[in-house]
Amino acid sequence: MRVVFRPGAATTATAGEAQRLGLRRLLVVSGTHGADSAQAVADSLGPACAGLHTGARMHVPVEVAARAVEVARAADADGCVAVGGGSAIGLGKAIALRTGLPLIAVPSTYSGSEATPVWGLTEHGAKRTGRDPSVLPRSIVYDPELTLSLPVPLSVTSGVNAIAHAVEALYAPDTSPLIALTAEEGVRAMAGALPQLADDPRNLGARSRALCGAWLCGSCLGATTMGLHHKLCHVLGGTFGLPHAETHTVVLPYALAYNAPAAPEAAAAVARALDAPDAPTALWRLAGDLGAPRSLAELGLKEADLAVAAEQAAGQAYPNPREVTADGVLALLRAAFEGAAPERS
Ligand SMILES: NC(=O)C1=CN([C@@H]2O[C@H](COP(=O)(O)OP(=O)(O)OC[C@H]3O[C@@H](n4cnc5c(N)ncnc54)[C@H](O)[C@@H]3O)[C@@H](O)[C@H]2O)C=CC1
Ligand SMILES: O=C(O)/C=C\C(=O)CC(=O)O
């Protein structure tokens, strides 16, 4: 994977990346909100642009993916450029998964999806994820200027989504010394940048550090297996329609408080990166102090949904440092529903 990282790169580097890959007919995909940036990238491709499709939606519903594949085939595209947040990149990945078309990612949030071979699709109220080398972008074009417009609330929650990748990578069964260093530095970079960009959203230095943090944290997710925290967020997003980054932000302190007794080294690394004595509490403070939602109730989950969500999250098989029991997950979810400071159980 090649990575270009510089201000203005979205419109000055994407065409060159396509050329290096030998691509001549690129479909540009985005969400409706990101259509202006995507149009600018499409224009910068000149005759190598085969079309612009603005149908991306969060959690990539299968019908949305199927429509985008149709559009790519009708345009006779030989590659795809995803411009936007994790939803646009997720749609690009869905096209790559079905057609094998190479993908170039131009991220505008801190989701980290651009650095992973992980795809996600939602069907019949359930989110499925998988890994496939064909969906890993061949090239990432990081342009901090593209993120200047990301509203502060979304910057904060998207930043915590990235931090969550690093946290789970630290205790994943396939972690490594290299990943541990990358994860700790990713948390440090992101946690340092978020207060600065919340204070001044147009601070290009802070935006660059946050985007670099997203790259580090996303690379950790790409290299390791997700645990309870990500699985819980996928249940809450896929089945209950909760917004992705906000859900990660609310759940992460409680998921880490649950896992910390079984993963003390991981919790210590996160605490070091946050320069705080207790990692779950520091994460809860970081996001809350910057105005992020603190409870699942605020995100619209109903108390009656907690038991169903706990059953779904506990009923799947995935590695986690601490045994995942329905009662344990229900207690975690109840704490996240209420939003008080996390306590270790
Ligand atoms: N496969 C993977 O490795 C990963 C996938 N994801 C997926 O990504 C999706 C969530 O992605 P997010 O980036 O959190 O949200 P998103 O891509 O849905 O964007 C959220 C909102 O922010 C707007 N937006 C994006 N960039 C902007 C900018 N620079 N300025 C102004 N507005 C902007 C979008 O138009 C949208 O309305 C989920 O479906 C999630 O599952 C997230 C992380 C990793
Ligand atoms: O939905 C996906 O594309 C798969 C993975 C993620 O969303 C990772 C995350 O939960 O941030």
Side-chain angles (χ1 to χ4, degrees):
M1 175 196 278
R2 274 177 53 83
V3 175
V4 181
F5 195 124
R6 63 165 185 267
T11 52
T12 60
T14 308
E17 291 307 297
Q19 215 169 19
R20 276 173 191 276
L21 291 164
L23 304 175
R24 288 153 189 263
R25 290 190 60 76
L26 291 129
L27 178 69
V28 179
V29 299
S30 73
T32 40
H33 284 115
D36 289 354
S37 301
Q39 183 67 59
V41 173
D43 292 345
S44 78
L45 293 174
C49 179
L52 171 62
H53 176 65
T54 60
R57 287 221 347 249
M58 196 171 280
H59 306 308
V60 197
V62 285
E63 319 76 68
V64 168
R67 174 74 194 123
V69 169
E70 265 174 33
V71 172
R73 288 192 171 134
D76 197 20
D78 63 1
C80 186
V81 181
V83 184
S87 300
I89 296 169
L91 186 58
K93 287 178 168 183
I95 295 173
L97 188 67
R98 282 282 297 279
T99 62
L101 292 183
L103 175 63
I104 298 173
V106 187
S108 67
T109 69
Y110 308 130
S111 81
S113 178
E114 67 280 358
T116 83
V118 179
W119 54 264
L121 286 166
T122 302
E123 185 171 22
H124 304 311
K127 182 162 172 175
R128 284 182 294 129
T129 62
R131 281 174 188 263
D132 194 300
S134 69
V135 311
L136 182 71
R138 306 288 174 91
S139 190
I140 307 176
V141 178
Y142 281 117
D143 179 353
E145 282 178 0
L146 209 55
T147 62
L148 291 175
S149 57
L150 190 62
V152 168
L154 193 50
S155 301
V156 172
T157 54
S158 185
V160 179
N161 183 195
I163 289 175
H165 305 333
V167 168
E168 290 230 295
L170 281 162
Y171 55 60
D174 39 7
T175 193
S176 69
L178 183 63
I179 290 301
L181 283 172
T182 310
E184 187 172 330
E185 195 47 39
V187 175
R188 188 170 287 115
M190 187 61 81
L194 290 181
Q196 293 175 338
L197 66 83
D199 199 37
D200 175 11
R202 298 198 65 82
N203 178 336
L204 197 60
R207 288 293 186 182
S208 299
R209 279 189 291 283
L211 206 50
C212 187
W215 176 16
L216 296 174
C217 294
S219 301
C220 292
L221 177 69
T224 55
T225 308
M226 294 179 266
L228 172 63
H229 169 75
H230 280 79
K231 296 296 175 187
L232 250 182
C233 291
H234 295 174
V235 167
L236 293 169
T239 305
F240 300 97
L242 263 53
H244 184 82
E246 291 86 339
T247 303
H248 269 272
T249 303
V250 168
V251 172
L252 185 62
Y254 306 98
L256 183 55
Y258 181 85
N259 278 332
E265 284 182 23
V270 179
R272 264 195 314 275
L274 297 171
D275 195 18
D278 180 66
T281 309
L283 286 169
W284 182 79
R285 287 226 170 94
L286 172 73
D289 288 355
L290 296 175
R294 274 203 163 133
S295 69
L296 292 176
E298 275 174 82
L299 300 185
L301 195 72
K302 302 278 172 284
E303 197 166 359
D305 297 333
L306 295 176
V308 182
E311 206 173 303
Q312 280 192 21
Q316 301 177 36
Y318 47 85
N320 194 62
R322 182 170 169 186
E323 189 189 358
V324 176
T325 62
D327 283 351
V329 178
L330 185 57
L332 185 172
L333 276 176
R334 190 166 292 287
F337 181 77
E338 290 166 1
E343 286 174 17
R344 295 191 187 197
S345 54

